[in-house]
Amino acid sequence: MHRRIAVKLLDLVTEQAARLKEAGVSFGHGTGNAFDEAAWLVLWSLGRDLDALEDHAQDEVAAAALDKARALVGRRIESRVPAAYLTREAWLQNVPFDVDERTIVPRSYIAELLADGEGTGRLDAWLTDRTRRVLDLCTGNGSLAVICAMAYPEMTIDASDVSADALAVARRNVERHGLAGRITLIESDLYARVHGPYDLILCNPPYVTDQSLAALPAEYRAEPRLALAGGADGMDLVRPIVAHAAAHLSPDGVLVLEVGHERASFERAFPRLEVAWLETSGGDDCVLVATREALAALGAKPR
């Protein structure tokens, strides 16, 4: 009879990280490396909290649990889909969200600007004591709307998206966090069915260029193309969002817009628009803020 060799939790995570690394999977949907991804998958498969590794690193893992964890990592390697689509959950700024293939996995630099909340948030300098009504445009699974509502309890949020499928997922997240009384979900093609004026518009739109989209790893291609594709220069959705923002903002209102690393494309599209670029973990070229005054002064349509 062969005696089973005991496997500790840390050793299991390390073993699965090696599998992920050897398989050449791509990261970026909540984790940035093989070890963190392995820890997420292993802990989730064992029903453990995602921060349990440090305190339970030397715990022995039962044989059945070993098989379950290894099988889940195997699915990740074979399917080449984001881990969140396997676990049906993702975290943004330490807040859990339901997610599935109907939406992209939540990730936004705007979230970190909101997360500190009233009085300490990096957006506070752009808000006033009258900031109450918020529009989360292109809400996806509703994560920015939820984080905004948590950070600023006096605000109410309209969260809109053109995708009914995405809004179905957003509804689960609004209900999960008990925010149905403060977040209204709206199916709308950009501003078509929203009703301002808003004091703050948040928007993380599709901005991936055609060239970048064609080169994306399989994990990104598993996400809805509608939520990623921004056209030849990434600005196809950004142009109408910016051009019509002033009409939906209150006099002191501001637009907070994420453009990834497409600052150069944005500045070519809007050479006369005065904006401020906000510092994020991705650098100072990912998120901009524009006042209603600056947006109204833009006047003519962008190039």
Side-chain angles (χ1 to χ4, degrees):
M1 178 181 292
H2 296 287
R3 184 170 179 269
R4 185 180 76 87
I5 299 174
V7 177
K8 296 179 179 179
L9 180 57
L10 178 59
D11 294 333
L12 176 60
V13 170
T14 303
E15 167 195 286
Q16 298 311 300
R19 287 181 69 194
L20 291 169
K21 187 174 182 179
E22 182 179 0
V25 302
S26 293
F27 309 108
H29 294 88
T31 68
N33 59 71
F35 185 87
D36 289 347
E37 185 108 343
W40 177 9
L41 291 168
V42 168
L43 290 166
W44 186 87
S45 73
L46 301 182
R48 299 282 191 94
D49 291 337
L50 297 185
D51 59 359
L53 182 57
E54 183 175 354
D55 292 335
H56 298 276
Q58 301 306 312
D59 290 3
E60 290 189 8
V61 182
L66 277 174
D67 293 341
K68 186 176 180 181
R70 288 166 175 162
L72 182 60
V73 173
R75 285 178 59 202
R76 171 70 177 88
I77 291 169
E78 292 165 10
S79 67
R80 287 302 203 270
V81 302
Y85 288 166
L86 302 178
T87 66
R88 291 302 197 244
E89 187 173 58
W91 293 70
L92 186 62
Q93 294 298 314
N94 298 316
V95 180
F97 293 100
D98 288 7
V99 66
D100 61 35
E101 291 86 350
R102 291 175 291 179
T103 71
I104 63 171
V105 179
R107 51 189 184 275
S108 175
Y109 295 115
I110 295 175
E112 65 188 60
L113 298 173
L114 292 169
D116 295 333
E118 188 174 13
T120 57
R122 280 174 277 170
L123 288 182
D124 282 1
W126 297 94
L127 309 180
T128 75
D129 57 5
R130 297 180 298 280
T131 303
R132 291 292 184 272
R133 294 199 67 210
V134 181
L135 172 63
D136 177 21
L137 195 63
C138 306
T139 193
N141 81 333
S143 52
L144 286 184
V146 167
I147 290 172
C148 182
M150 289 178 167
Y152 295 94
E154 76 282 7
M155 297 184 186
T156 58
I157 299 103
D158 285 350
S160 70
D161 204 286
V162 71
S163 168
D165 283 343
L167 289 172
V169 181
R171 184 167 292 106
R172 294 210 309 262
N173 286 313
V174 170
E175 293 171 353
R176 175 175 183 168
H177 293 288
L179 292 168
R182 292 178 51 215
I183 298 176
T184 301
L185 299 174
I186 303 170
E187 185 177 345
S188 178
D189 185 357
L190 297 184
Y191 301 110
R193 296 181 63 191
V194 302
H195 302 287
Y198 296 100
D199 306 309
L200 171 64
I201 297 177
L202 306 171
C203 187
N204 180 22
Y207 52 70
V208 181
T209 67
D210 291 343
Q211 183 177 4
S212 296
L213 199 64
L216 286 176
E219 285 84 352
Y220 290 88
R221 295 199 303 274
E223 296 181 295
R225 182 183 176 90
L226 179 68
L228 295 172
D233 65 351
M235 297 292 109
D236 279 7
L237 270 291
V238 172
R239 285 183 173 86
I241 288 167
V242 171
H244 301 290
H248 299 276
L249 284 167
S250 61
D252 294 327
V254 295
L255 167 68
V256 177
L257 178 69
E258 183 165 333
V259 295
H261 295 288
E262 298 301 331
R263 176 172 177 169
S265 292
F266 181 88
E267 291 178 338
R268 283 193 295 270
F270 298 96
R272 296 186 296 108
L273 177 62
E274 293 184 9
V275 305
W277 293 91
L278 305 180
E279 186 65 35
T280 70
S281 61
D284 63 357
D285 60 351
C286 300
V287 178
L288 63 96
V289 58
T291 65
R292 183 192 181 280
E293 182 180 7
L295 291 160
L298 186 63
K301 292 184 179 297
R303 294 191 307 196

